[in-house]
Every structure is written in structure tokens, then in C-alpha cells.
């Protein structure tokens, strides 16, 4: 046994603050309430169902994650939200039509209790969306201070001991890092000057970090993936994670691409297309927001396949990604992948994938786990970028000079080894020679 890391106990209520009370957030909230009442199982959540092997295989020690480390209890979660629409979580869930109406009606009381605060929003950054429930202030710095006041008020009124913020709102238009993102002083000056390089999601992240609240970015927005906010998180000892929840088609890529590389099979092209009819699909119908998502989705194959090491196998891949808004499909996204691979002696083969998934059903347990793991990280004294949570993201944040690890199984090993580390258990390398060299 190694010496365990000191982890503060998960005592008191945990505020889970979500910008964006749409399909993902309401599915998350309704799901937690259903699980608490014994109406459903938390399928898809590692914090609730997964186990971690400890020690040698012969020891037969595999506790649940929530028994290995002190994960906050679902009964202690208290949800708060901001949204451009004034609908409470019940009305929003009815509109989203992700869950069966009977289940939503059975959870009417706790869902109606989640009423969104006025949002920080501008149609310059999300062009296909607008609503009346929006904050007004002279500057973006003033809007940030208003969010800070919201956080403090929510924590006090709901008697919360700790909080986390998880971005569940829309994809913003594509932004690249600029000079105003380089240092905190310049960032805050840009907020005061209403600089267009400061997007609403950045204002939420700044407010959360200033209030000591861990922040996770569930969209491909730039947000905390900038030096100014990363330095703020590190200075204040606050964990951050992101970006862009990995749920459907990209999750499949992080499973299939490692298989191709593991077997040294070539790849000629990978064509991915989706149809999606929820609010997220409508937002992504705008080219500016789609560009942000496209960059997130396209980065996966290059990092997994390492064409610089294997130019003959992966040096000339045609990789295409499309997302098409199709209203009748609602939240039931359908993704098609046509994959052209190359085998022995250069002979071509094909893989076809048709994934009929439910976007928010896949995203809700991801959002839950990220919130609970960020809270654990905070109590364990882990600050700044939490690369061990890459498992949950399409574009994992990493430290300067590092490339992101996209292989789902390497990411899972990293996550579980991090849990072993904080619990004081030996890391597992899977070498196994000691079983045979006795």
C-alpha cells in the first residue's frame, strides 16, 4: 500500500450548477431524481456502477469506485441552472421529449423546483438561438460579477457546502486563442472593454473560478482552454476539465481507431455523417457553431493514429464529418460511418457503422460523472487541468506541450490509475510477469 492522498470527506450538499437547462441538463436532473427514488438504474455512470481492480488478480479485490474514494452521494446533489428561456426543468424536459412523459410527470415536483436564473447570452456567439431570460449589464465584467452573485446566493439559499459547474449549453461560434486570452489581467481588461474575444461561456468559467467552483466544459467551445483561466484555476487550487462530452459517433472512433492501429491495419478514409433534430442540432446548423464542433471531431483520428510515425498506413486519410439538422428525429441522433481500411498486401476492406443513439441519454451520465469527479478532485487537492478525465471528452484538455490521449482504453486506464493513486493503492501496469517468473 502507498500512502493515500488526503481527501476531505463529501459532507454537506453539493451544488451542481449547469449553464443551459436543455435536453442534456434536464435528462441529467430527471435521471438523478429517478435513481434516488428507486425508479431507474444509473446505467452509463462509472461513479455509480463501475468497479476498480486493486492489487493482483489473485487478490480478488474490485470495489466500486464510490466505495474506493469518497464520491458525493446523489441525495446530496442540489441542481441550479441558467437558461435563455424561463421554463423550469419540468417544462424544459417536456419540450425536449427525451424521456417518456410518464416518467417526467412522476418527477414533476423536483423538476419544477429547478427554475433557471437569467443567463449570460449573446446571439453573436450562438446564432440559431435566442430567448428573453437574459441578463443586462454595461460590460462583460459586470455580467461576470452578476453570475458570481447568482452563485453565492444559490449556495446560501440551498445550504450548499460545495459546488461544481458543468457547461451543458450550446456550442458557440468558433474562436481561436488571442492575446487577450494569454494573461488574467488582459482577460479581465477585455471583459471590461466588451471585447468580442470574450465569449459567454468564458464569463461563466471566470465567475465559477473566482468563486472557488470547479468548472467542466461539455461543449467544444474555447472557454477554459486558454492560459488566463487555466492560470486562475491553478492559482486558486481549482480543478477544471473539458472539452466537449464524448458520447456517440466520436466515442465509436476512439474505440475503432485504436483497434486499427493495434493491428497495423491501414486507413484510407473515414466518412461520418449525422442527423439530429434537437436544439443542439439546430444550433449546429449554423456554420460558425458547426466549425467549433468539426474541429473537435476531426482531431481524434490524427492523435490516435499518429500518421507521423506510420505515414504508409495513415499519412493520406480522407476524413469528413457532417452534422445535419433534421427536426423529426429530435434527440434520437443517427450516425453513419463509412470506413475504408487497408489490409495485408494493400487489399481494401470496409467497415460500416450505423449508430442509432439517444444523444442526451448518453450525455447525462457523462455530465454526472464529470461533476462528481471534479468535486472529488477539489477535495483531494488536485487543481488545474484534470487530464485523467479525458475519458469523457472529445477534445481533452492537456498541459502545455503535451498532445491529448484519445484512445478510450488508455483514457480509462489513466482514470482508474488516478483513482488508485489518490486512494493510496498501487498502480496497475498489466505487465503480469511476476505470475510466471516464480
Amino acid at each position: 500500500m502507498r500512502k493515500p492522498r488526503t481527501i476531505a470527506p463529501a459532507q454537506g450538499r453539493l451544488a451542481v450548477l449547469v449553464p443551459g437547462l436543455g435536453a442534456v441538463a434536464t435528462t441529467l436532473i430527471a435521471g438523478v431524481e429517478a435513481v434516488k427514488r428507486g425508479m431507474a438504474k444509473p446505467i452509463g455512470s462509472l461513479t455509480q456502477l463501475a468497479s476498480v481492480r486493486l492489487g493482483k488478480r489473485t487478490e480478488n479485490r474490485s470495489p466500486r469506485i464510490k466505495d474506493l474514494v469518497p464520491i458525493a452521494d446523489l441525495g446530496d446533489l442540489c441542481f441550479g441552472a441558467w437558461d435563455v428561456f424561463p421554463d423550469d426543468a419540468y417544462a424544459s424536459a417536456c419540450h425536449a421529449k427525451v424521456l417518456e412523459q410518464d416518467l417526467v410527470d412522476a418527477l414533476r415536483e423536483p423538476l419544477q423546483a429547478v427554475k433557471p436564473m437569467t443567463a449570460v447570452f449573446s446571439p453573436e456567439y450562438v446564432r440559431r438561438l435566442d430567448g428573453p431570460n437574459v441578463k443586462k449589464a454595461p460590460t462583460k465584467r459586470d455580467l461576470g460579477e452578476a453570475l458570481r452573485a447568482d452563485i453565492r446566493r444559490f449556495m446560501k439559499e440551498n445550504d450548499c457546502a460545495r459546488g461544481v459547474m458543468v457547461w451543458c449549453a450550446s456550442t458557440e461560434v468558433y474562436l481561436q486563442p488571442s492575446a487577450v486570452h494569454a494573461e488574467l489581467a488582459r482577460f479581465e481588461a477585455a471583459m471590461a472593454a466588451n471585447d468580442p474575444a470574450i465569449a459567454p461561456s468564458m464569463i461563466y468559467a471566470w465567475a465559477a473560478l473566482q468563486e472557488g467552483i470547479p468548472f467542466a466544459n461539455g461543449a467544444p467551445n474555447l472557454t477554459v482552454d486558454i492560459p488566463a483561466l487555466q492560470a486562475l484555476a491553478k492559482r486558486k487550487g481549482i480543478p477544471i476539465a473539458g472539452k466537449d462530452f464524448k458520447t456517440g459517433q466520436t466515442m465509436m472512433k476512439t474505440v475503432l481507431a485504436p483497434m486499427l492501429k493495434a493491428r497495423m491495419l491501414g486507413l484510407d478514409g473515414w466518412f461520418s455523417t449525422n442527423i439530429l433534430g434537437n436544439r443542439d442540432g439546430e444550433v449546429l446548423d449554423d456554420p460558425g457553431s458547426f466549425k467549433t464542433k468539426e474541429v473537435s471531431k476531426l482531431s481524434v483520428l490524427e492523435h490516435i493514429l499518429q500518421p507521423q510515425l506510420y505515414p504508409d498506413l495513415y499519412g493520406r486519410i480522407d476524413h469528413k464529418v457532417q452534422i445535419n439538422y433534421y427536426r423529426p428525429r429530435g434527440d434520437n441522433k443517427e450516425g453513419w460511418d463509412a470506413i475504408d481500411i487497408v489490409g495485408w498486401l494493400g487489399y481494401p476492406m470496409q467497415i460500416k457503422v450505423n449508430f442509432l443513439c439517444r444523444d442526451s441519454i448518453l450525455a447525462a451520465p457523462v455530465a454526472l460523472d464529470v461533476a462528481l469527479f471534479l468535486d472529488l478532485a477539489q477535495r483531494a487537492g488536485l487543481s488545474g487541468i484534470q487530464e485523467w478525465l479525458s475519458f469523457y471528452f472529445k477534445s481533452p484538455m492537456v498541459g502545455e506541450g503535451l498532445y491529448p490521449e484519445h484512445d478510450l482504453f488508455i483514457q480509462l486506464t489513466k482514470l482508474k490509475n488516478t483513482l488508485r493513486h489518490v486512494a493510496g493503492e498501487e498502480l496497475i501496469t498489466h505487465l503480469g510477469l511476476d505470475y510466471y517468473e516464480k
Side-chain angles (χ1 to χ4, degrees):
M1 286 283 291
R2 297 165 52 257
K3 183 179 179 181
R5 196 178 184 97
T6 300
I7 307 175
Q11 293 179 340
R13 303 188 82 192
L14 174 66
V16 180
L17 303 167
V18 287
L21 191 59
V24 173
T26 55
T27 305
L28 163 65
I29 297 167
V32 168
E33 295 297 335
V35 171
K36 283 163 54 177
R37 289 162 173 73
M39 299 165 60
K41 299 292 184 183
I43 297 171
S45 168
L46 273 66
T47 59
Q48 304 306 303
L49 296 179
S51 61
V52 180
R53 190 194 111 197
L54 303 177
K56 296 182 179 297
R57 280 176 273 171
T58 51
E59 296 178 32
N60 294 317
R61 289 195 297 144
S62 294
R64 294 280 178 93
I65 287 174
K66 60 183 181 180
D67 295 325
L68 175 66
V69 290
I71 298 290
D73 187 85
L74 296 187
D76 291 331
L77 303 190
C78 181
F79 289 98
W82 295 266
D83 201 273
V84 299
F85 299 107
D87 296 344
D88 60 37
Y90 172 77
S92 182
C94 291
H95 175 79
K97 292 182 171 59
V98 175
L99 303 173
E100 296 294 335
Q101 191 63 44
D102 288 349
L103 177 60
V104 176
D105 288 341
L107 300 168
R108 178 192 290 260
E109 183 178 349
L111 289 175
Q112 285 184 330
V114 183
K115 297 178 172 59
M117 296 173 272
T118 53
V120 171
F121 175 82
S122 169
E124 296 174 28
Y125 300 91
V126 182
R127 300 184 184 119
R128 299 293 172 90
L129 190 65
D130 205 357
N133 200 44
V134 176
K135 284 181 171 30
K136 306 293 184 185
T139 72
K140 294 180 179 182
R141 177 66 184 259
D142 295 324
L143 289 170
E145 294 294 349
L147 287 176
R148 293 183 66 180
D150 285 347
I151 294 169
R152 291 192 295 268
R153 183 174 59 254
F154 184 90
M155 300 282 286
K156 181 178 180 180
E157 290 177 353
N158 293 280
D159 192 27
C160 294
R162 312 175 313 284
V164 294
M165 186 182 292
V166 181
W167 179 270
C168 292
S170 298
T171 299
E172 295 171 333
V173 297
Y174 184 67
L175 290 177
Q176 289 186 309
S178 66
V180 302
H181 301 134
E183 298 172 349
L184 184 61
R186 297 171 80 173
F187 180 88
E188 291 178 339
M191 291 175 68
N194 288 328
D195 194 303
I198 308 298
S201 63
M202 296 176 183
I203 303 173
Y204 279 96
W206 177 85
L209 295 175
Q210 291 288 9
E211 292 300 315
I213 303 290
F215 183 91
N217 181 15
N221 311 329
L222 190 58
T223 317
V224 285
D225 210 359
I226 56 174
L229 293 181
Q230 291 175 14
L232 177 61
K234 198 67 179 174
R235 190 184 79 200
K236 294 177 74 76
I238 303 167
I240 55 176
K243 57 189 181 181
D244 201 5
F245 291 147
K246 180 166 62 179
T247 52
Q249 192 173 61
T250 306
M251 180 175 68
M252 296 300 295
K253 285 184 179 176
T254 64
V255 173
L256 293 174
M259 176 270 292
L260 297 176
K261 190 174 77 168
R263 288 292 303 269
M264 286 287 102
L265 294 170
L267 179 63
D268 194 28
W270 197 312
F271 179 81
S272 299
T273 188
N274 303 262
I275 56 173
L276 178 63
N278 62 12
R279 191 177 293 166
D280 190 37
E282 187 173 5
V283 167
L284 292 173
D285 207 34
D286 170 65
S289 291
F290 174 70
K291 174 69 173 177
T292 308
K293 178 68 77 171
E294 182 184 36
V295 169
S296 174
K297 282 175 163 283
L298 286 174
S299 64
V300 172
L301 290 184
E302 181 178 353
H303 285 104
I304 290 177
L305 297 175
Q306 299 175 292
Q308 72 279 10
L309 295 181
Y310 308 106
D312 291 341
L313 297 178
Y314 313 118
R316 295 183 62 188
I317 301 171
D318 285 329
H319 188 196
K320 307 292 184 184
V321 174
Q322 293 181 351
I323 299 176
N324 299 285
Y325 176 60
Y326 180 57
R327 181 194 51 77
R329 190 52 57 97
D331 199 71
N332 295 333
K333 181 168 68 176
E334 184 165 1
W336 296 276
D337 288 89
I339 310 164
D340 290 279
I341 69 173
V342 181
W344 182 246
L345 306 181
Y347 277 74
M349 296 175 283
Q350 296 182 0
I351 300 173
K352 307 290 187 185
V353 179
N354 182 206
F355 192 4
L356 288 81
C357 61
R358 295 174 180 259
D359 213 36
S360 299
I361 293 295
L362 291 170
V366 169
L368 173 64
D369 282 356
V370 167
L372 294 178
F373 278 141
L374 274 185
D375 174 57
L376 172 70
Q378 175 91 322
R379 290 182 284 108
L382 302 174
S383 64
I385 296 170
Q386 302 299 298
E387 191 187 343
W388 64 284
L389 296 180
S390 295
F391 178 79
Y392 294 106
F393 298 104
K394 289 188 186 77
S395 280
M397 293 170 60
V398 294
E400 186 178 359
L402 300 176
Y403 63 83
E405 193 62 75
H406 282 281
D407 182 318
L408 187 75
F409 303 105
I410 293 176
Q411 291 174 336
L412 182 61
T413 297
K414 187 177 185 69
L415 186 152
K416 290 192 173 183
N417 267 338
T418 302
L419 295 174
R420 294 181 184 108
H421 169 75
V422 299
E425 294 285 343
E426 294 296 327
L427 308 188
I428 292 181
T429 66
H430 301 286
L431 182 62
L433 289 178
D434 52 329
Y435 295 119
Y436 302 98
E437 293 181 342
K438 297 177 182 178

